Amino acid sequence: MEKFEKVTGIAAPMPLVNIDTDMIIPKQFLKTIKRSGLGVNLFDEMRYDDKGNENPDFVLNKPAYRDAQILIAGDNFGCGSSREHAPWALADFGIRVIVSTSYADIFYNNCFKNGLLPIILPEEQVEVLMKDAEKGANARMEVDLEAQTITASDGESFRFEIDPFRKHCLLEGLDDIGLTLEKAAAIDTFEAQAAQARPWV
């Protein structure tokens, strides 16, 4: 997993509330077990019409937001079914940070395991960032995980809270497999001792 330190980029405003995982990545795209290739179908039903043409009114189809790395979202983002494809699709599109007042628990946990940073802020601070994001491509925000701050284009900065263990994993680029591999030497020692003690196993 890629290490997460700072992200400086365009923020896309998406003030809709209760965006569920089926809106993030519809069920027909869940057949794959690959983490790549899902970005093109992110928010599929909002991004495209019935013929597959782009909806020009959807925020991520607008020229200013096609390269957005930060998403400023409404309440209860990622609710609905517990599909890990949702953070896969966001990451594959290029989103590294989501800012909202609240998330569904399973989606929130899945974000950390896939290198995304879901930030929780009070409503009034999210509104400030939402208005800043509406300025378009010239309004670049900075997210500093080490300092736990997000800074708007005008320099206004907000501090966010994050569990220390999750922060460590993002900074070091450790998913569940990476955490296990950190213990590889201890695991090898245990296996060798177990093989000597119980050679019939």
Side-chain angles (χ1 to χ4, degrees), residues 7-24:
V7 169
T8 302
I10 299 164
M14 191 173 288
L16 299 174
V17 299
N18 300 321
I19 291 181
D20 64 30
T21 53
D22 194 57
M23 294 170 69
I24 297 171

Side-chain angles (χ1 to χ4, degrees), residues 14-163:
M14 191 173 288
L16 299 174
V17 299
N18 300 321
I19 291 181
D20 64 30
T21 53
D22 194 57
M23 294 170 69
I24 297 171
I25 184 71
K27 58 185 178 299
Q28 62 266 33
F29 303 111
L30 305 186
K31 298 174 184 177
T32 182
I33 57 171
K34 295 181 180 178
R35 298 186 184 194
S36 59
L38 290 169
V40 68
N41 300 117
L42 178 68
F43 300 115
D44 190 86
E45 293 177 2
M46 291 188 284
R47 279 174 72 190
Y48 307 105
D49 63 21
D50 293 339
K51 296 181 180 178
N53 299 311
E54 286 190 355
N55 171 11
D57 294 326
F58 183 67
V59 62
L60 296 180
N61 289 338
K62 295 179 179 180
Y65 300 109
R66 285 184 179 272
D67 297 320
Q69 292 181 278
I70 303 166
L71 193 64
I72 312 298
D75 298 335
N76 198 29
F77 190 86
C79 56
S81 63
S82 56
R83 56 188 70 171
E84 198 166 5
H85 292 68
W88 290 358
L90 287 158
D92 192 58
F93 180 85
I95 301 295
R96 301 289 312 282
V97 179
I98 308 162
V99 181
S100 179
T101 57
S102 62
Y103 300 88
D105 286 344
I106 294 175
F107 174 82
Y108 183 76
N109 292 330
N110 280 339
C111 282
F112 288 105
K113 293 180 179 183
N114 289 282
L116 276 74
L117 173 60
I119 294 174
I120 299 174
L121 289 176
E123 183 177 359
E124 59 272 17
Q125 295 180 4
V126 174
E127 287 178 357
V128 170
L129 296 173
M130 190 77 72
K131 289 179 181 177
D132 192 55
E134 289 170 355
K135 296 176 184 177
N138 292 327
R140 300 176 71 84
M141 295 185 190
E142 180 183 86
V143 177
D144 186 329
L145 178 56
E146 183 64 52
Q148 295 179 214
T149 58
I150 179 167
T151 305
S153 63
D154 62 0
E156 187 172 7
S157 184
F158 303 113
R159 180 175 171 80
F160 59 88
E161 297 301 320
I162 183 173
D163 175 79

